[in-house]
Amino acid sequence: MSRLPTVAIVGRPNVGKSTLFNRLVGRKVALVDDRPGVTRDRREGEATLLGLDFRVIDTAGYEDEDPDTLPGRMRAQTIAAVREADVALFLIDARAGMTPLDEEIARWLRSESTPVVLAANKAEGRSGEAGILEAFALGLGEPIAMSAEHGEGVVDLFEHLRPYVEREPGDEEEAEAEGPLKLAIVGRPNAGKSTLINRMLEQERLITGPEAGITRDSIAIDWEYRGRPVRLIDTAGMRKRAKVEDKLEKLSVADARRAVDFAEVVVLLLDGTRGLEAQDLRIASYVLEEGRALLVAINKWDVAEDASRLFNGIKAALDEGLAQARGVPLLTVSGKTGKGIDTLLQAAFEVRDTWSARVSTGQLNRWFEEAVEKNPPPAPGGKRIKLRYITQVGTRPPSFVLFGTRTEMLPESYRRYLVNGIRKDLGFGAVPVRLALRSSQNPFDR
């Protein structure tokens, strides 16, 4: 497992280091009090900031004391933390303004090789403006105006930390992609899910029959396909909610939904003798909303009538009904004869690779600049929306954050334009893509 990048929070006592540490870690781990000097030892935790994962160190307040005293030994711990960190986050108190100790800490940080990000904490409202302006004199670049207590300035903090803590895909993502393919088979009752799995396994592992609703529990089966591990998940049939009255069936449908949550790739199995129904589209939409890779397979293809017309009709209906992911792969199989199963499994491995893929920041922003130049964002009410850059913050499903000014005014149609471009131009196909918008604020633009 690869080491997480490390951020060390430093500053004089009582500037809000532990408050920021707690916010980044997501829970109250470090003690917080108005009295200075509460934190003495280094405290570490795993933090997440808008999808960035890193290790954060809360250090003791830096004080100019003799090395043999307690404050002096605490300062030695802080120096050690900064030297092992990927970036030091230097926190000052914007309301209190610059102090001689802040200036001394800045001189020390400039002498170290660790990169430094300067943040002016307690800058909510207008009370910290003078302190923010004074902070420029520290020679550490533009300070981030923020409030750890109120969660303000998080986007700007993300932007400044990102170059030091963002990682290209590492060992953990590769390990996930090489683990067992978690493949769930879902669909309406009697679509032939259990029959299809029995054919894959080449044994009567699951009970089948003409009666609808035989399968009640989600059943996971570990298996190998051509030497590659697969975890097959058979689920109960998912009927329209209004028709589900039996308590046991309600529990079964809830269990099927949980199976979708644990899957990587979901196969929506259609009954080739009945075609596509509204409930199938509802199931497909649910799978995509949960961020899972989706394949649609028409079962009972060996007995389907007017096959070409059926296939084209279902494809058109899927494209119209699943506007959020046009082009979902549509395949044909027969659980009875085994035809099409190899193609289905190969497609499942391929779509998982796409679902787990990451684009380099350089390639992503080259595409982004071209997309914005080709179709600039609108200016609602005459106010220009400036889109600055985009970054991928996660995979499985691919997740992106777009930064700019006034992004909250960006129309949904333009957001769809960008998502469709990511799918088409960057090779994500029909897997669900998530795009979040973030506005950064100028602390002097009141």
Side-chain angles (χ1 to χ4, degrees):
M1 188 180 289
S2 58
R3 182 185 78 89
L4 282 174
T6 303
V7 177
I9 306 173
V10 297
R12 60 182 176 79
N14 217 29
V15 293
K17 297 185 296 298
S18 294
T19 303
L20 178 59
F21 176 87
N22 286 341
R23 181 166 288 281
L24 291 172
V25 172
R27 61 189 192 278
K28 289 189 176 180
V29 178
L31 295 177
V32 176
D33 192 83
D34 290 336
R35 288 169 295 174
V38 173
T39 301
R40 289 181 170 172
D41 289 300
R42 284 189 276 173
R43 188 181 295 277
E44 301 182 11
E46 290 191 6
T48 298
L49 180 65
L50 301 180
L52 279 181
D53 295 319
F54 53 92
R55 192 166 63 105
V56 61
I57 304 175
D58 178 25
T59 66
Y62 186 100
E63 296 189 63
D64 184 15
E65 296 283 349
D66 187 281
D68 292 331
T69 64
L70 177 60
R73 295 198 301 276
M74 287 156 55
R75 188 180 71 228
Q77 286 285 317
T78 298
I79 291 170
V82 166
R83 287 177 180 168
E84 74 177 50
D86 294 281
V87 60
L89 179 57
F90 177 23
L91 218 58
I92 62 165
D93 183 336
R95 285 191 304 223
M98 289 304 93
T99 69
L101 187 51
D102 287 321
E103 292 166 2
E104 184 186 329
I105 296 169
R107 278 194 296 274
W108 160 61
L109 287 171
R110 287 199 303 270
S111 72
E112 296 285 342
S113 59
T114 306
V116 180
V117 169
L118 176 62
N121 192 28
K122 307 182 186 179
E124 60 272 19
R126 304 191 63 158
S127 57
E129 286 183 8
I132 294 167
L133 287 167
E134 286 176 21
F136 278 93
L138 294 174
L140 293 169
E142 181 183 350
I144 305 162
M146 64 174 299
S147 169
E149 189 175 351
H150 298 97
E152 294 175 14
V154 169
V155 170
D156 293 316
L157 182 62
F158 172 96
E159 291 189 45
H160 284 76
L161 291 178
R162 185 180 65 90
Y164 307 108
V165 301
E166 185 177 49
R167 297 181 302 170
E168 294 298 326
D171 299 336
E172 292 164 55
E173 285 180 11
E174 286 168 18
E176 280 183 328
E178 287 305 310
L181 168 67
K182 299 181 186 77
L183 184 66
I185 314 289
V186 303
R188 285 182 284 111
N190 222 27
K193 298 182 290 297
S194 299
T195 303
L196 178 67
I197 288 180
N198 283 342
R199 174 59 65 176
M200 288 177 177
L201 300 174
E202 296 182 339
Q203 59 172 290
E204 293 298 308
R205 170 65 176 77
L206 301 171
I207 301 171
T208 61
E211 305 89 353
I214 290 176
T215 302
R216 283 177 169 169
D217 297 303
S218 294
I219 298 167
I221 302 161
D222 289 320
W223 172 63
E224 272 198 4
Y225 172 71
R226 296 185 176 176
R228 301 182 75 177
V230 178
R231 171 161 285 188
L232 279 171
I233 307 165
D234 184 28
T235 63
M238 299 168 78
R239 289 202 294 166
K240 188 176 178 182
R241 191 171 290 178
K243 292 184 177 179
V244 179
E245 294 170 358
D246 178 66
K247 183 183 176 185
L248 191 57
E249 188 177 351
K250 282 182 181 175
L251 292 171
S252 297
V253 172
D255 200 39
R257 285 174 176 259
R258 276 196 299 277
V260 168
D261 295 341
F262 285 107
E264 297 171 326
V265 180
V266 177
V267 176
L268 171 59
L269 204 62
L270 308 180
D271 185 337
T273 63
R274 297 174 64 180
L276 183 77
E277 297 186 8
Q279 176 64 357
D280 295 313
L281 285 175
R282 278 191 282 270
I283 296 169
S285 292
Y286 174 75
V287 171
L288 293 171
E289 283 163 17
E290 291 301 304
R292 301 297 173 260
L294 176 67
L295 298 173
V296 181
I298 310 171
N299 193 25
K300 307 179 185 177
W301 195 243
D302 52 309
V303 293
E305 295 179 10
D306 200 353
S308 176
R309 187 174 163 209
L310 174 69
F311 185 90
N312 292 331
I314 289 174
K315 187 160 185 57
L318 283 172
D319 283 346
E320 186 181 336
L322 299 177
Q324 74 270 43
R326 274 201 183 88
V328 166
L330 179 62
L331 307 158
T332 59
V333 294
S334 168
K336 189 175 180 184
T337 67
K339 193 173 189 315
I341 285 177
D342 283 337
T343 306
L344 175 68
L345 288 165
Q346 284 161 12
F349 277 106
E350 286 169 12
V351 79
R352 181 179 72 162
D353 289 343
T354 304
W355 185 67
S356 307
R358 186 180 286 272
V359 182
S360 73
T361 302
Q363 182 189 358
L364 182 60
N365 279 284
R366 282 192 296 275
W367 164 82
F368 174 65
E369 286 163 14
E370 287 176 16
V372 171
E373 190 178 333
K374 195 185 300 179
N375 181 14
K383 290 187 176 179
R384 187 163 163 248
I385 299 172
K386 187 176 180 184
L387 303 181
R388 294 166 61 190
Y389 70 91
I390 188 170
T391 186
Q392 185 172 359
V393 295
T395 61
R396 308 162 68 84
S399 304
F400 302 84
V401 176
L402 171 61
F403 293 90
T405 53
R406 301 193 183 90
T407 56
E408 68 281 356
M409 299 171 72
L410 197 69
E412 179 58 26
S413 57
Y414 195 85
R415 189 180 157 284
R416 276 199 306 273
Y417 159 71
L418 293 174
V419 168
N420 290 337
I422 289 170
R423 282 207 181 95
K424 182 183 171 191
D425 302 332
L426 298 176
F428 286 100
V431 302
V433 166
R434 290 178 173 163
L435 176 63
L437 309 176
R438 295 283 184 271
S439 288
S440 51
Q441 295 173 343
N442 181 344
F444 308 110
D445 182 18
R446 299 292 181 185

